[in-house]
Amino acid sequence: MLMLNTETLFGYLSVAMMVCSRAGYFNAIFRGRTHPHGFSWLIWGTISSIGFAAQVAEGAGPGAWARGFGCFTCFLLVALSYFKGEKDIKRLDWLTLAVALSAIPLWMATKTPFWSVLIVCFIDTIGYLPTLRKSWARPREELAISYFFSCLAAGFSLLAINQYTPSTWLYPLVLTLTNGSMWVFLLARRRAIAAEAAA
């Protein structure tokens, strides 16, 4: 009988949650219900690549699996957003993208692992701004449950880490918080808009 250790089990759970997140999101796009903002997904894909590489190098083990899958699907969503994504690009969106990309050389120049992962977390977090800006007026164009599953995936990946260092645990912790916050934000905006319409 094959026995799984705790880290491997949580690693599989984290990937399963990420698969649920992306499957629902892709389905919503093809049904015309969700319109991803390509800028957010480009930032997240780029930073996920960095975060995934750092986790692998630092011995995260199964704790890095969900990030690898997430990175790959982020770039698929960048390509898909060109055809089915948000078309109303604002100046704030361009500014966010410029800030995120300009911070990458700073990350490359940083030799201290702790500061490197802090910069990665900062860039990933500001990647939410274009999607938040779009979703303020149109929260139903984002699939809220997808962010909930991504939150669970990041949480399980934290429990799947083999070697705990700032480079392995801080980024998934931030992803747990930001994805969970995005889920709450989308639900709250939907209720607020529904209440305004009913008033």
Side-chain angles (χ1 to χ4, degrees):
M1 181 177 176
L2 179 63
M3 298 294 292
L4 299 178
N5 61 34
T6 304
E7 291 80 7
T8 302
L9 176 61
F10 282 123
Y12 283 128
L13 285 173
S14 68
V15 173
M17 293 300 100
M18 187 58 76
V19 169
C20 290
S21 171
R22 294 298 195 258
Y25 201 81
F26 278 106
N27 182 59
I29 291 171
F30 286 113
R31 287 176 176 269
R33 298 174 181 172
T34 293
H35 303 284
H37 200 301
F39 285 17
S40 286
W41 291 103
L42 177 60
I43 293 169
W44 292 333
T46 303
I47 294 307
S48 288
S49 300
I50 296 171
F52 174 62
Q55 284 189 306
V56 171
E58 292 290 323
W65 294 351
R67 189 60 13 230
F69 178 79
C71 167
F72 171 71
T73 52
C74 278
F75 287 118
L76 288 180
L77 286 164
V78 172
L80 194 56
S81 67
Y82 181 79
F83 302 100
K84 295 181 174 289
E86 173 68 18
K87 303 302 182 187
D88 184 21
I89 307 299
K90 303 293 188 183
R91 184 176 299 176
L92 175 63
D93 302 337
W94 286 105
L95 179 61
T96 300
L97 182 64
V99 170
L101 296 181
S102 65
I104 292 176
L106 178 61
W107 167 82
M108 295 174 66
T110 304
K111 303 301 182 183
T112 307
F114 179 73
W115 288 105
S116 295
V117 75
L118 277 183
I119 293 170
V120 165
C121 292
F122 166 75
I123 298 172
D124 190 277
T125 301
I126 65 172
Y128 283 85
L129 291 179
T131 298
L132 283 169
R133 192 272 308 164
K134 179 202 75 167
S135 299
W136 180 261
R138 291 167 284 144
R140 293 195 178 277
E141 288 192 7
E142 284 293 314
L143 188 66
I145 194 67
S146 175
Y147 292 94
F148 175 71
F149 279 122
S150 291
C151 172
L152 291 180
F156 283 132
S157 71
L158 269 172
L159 300 174
I161 294 172
N162 283 338
Q163 303 278 341
Y164 283 92
T165 71
S167 296
T168 61
W169 65 261
L170 186 55
Y171 186 39
L173 175 63
V174 169
L175 289 174
T176 303
L177 297 174
T178 52
N179 279 292
S181 298
M182 187 69 182
W183 173 60
V184 172
F185 165 79
L186 290 171
L187 295 181
R189 280 302 297 160
R190 290 176 185 182
R191 289 174 183 169
I193 291 173
E196 289 172 5

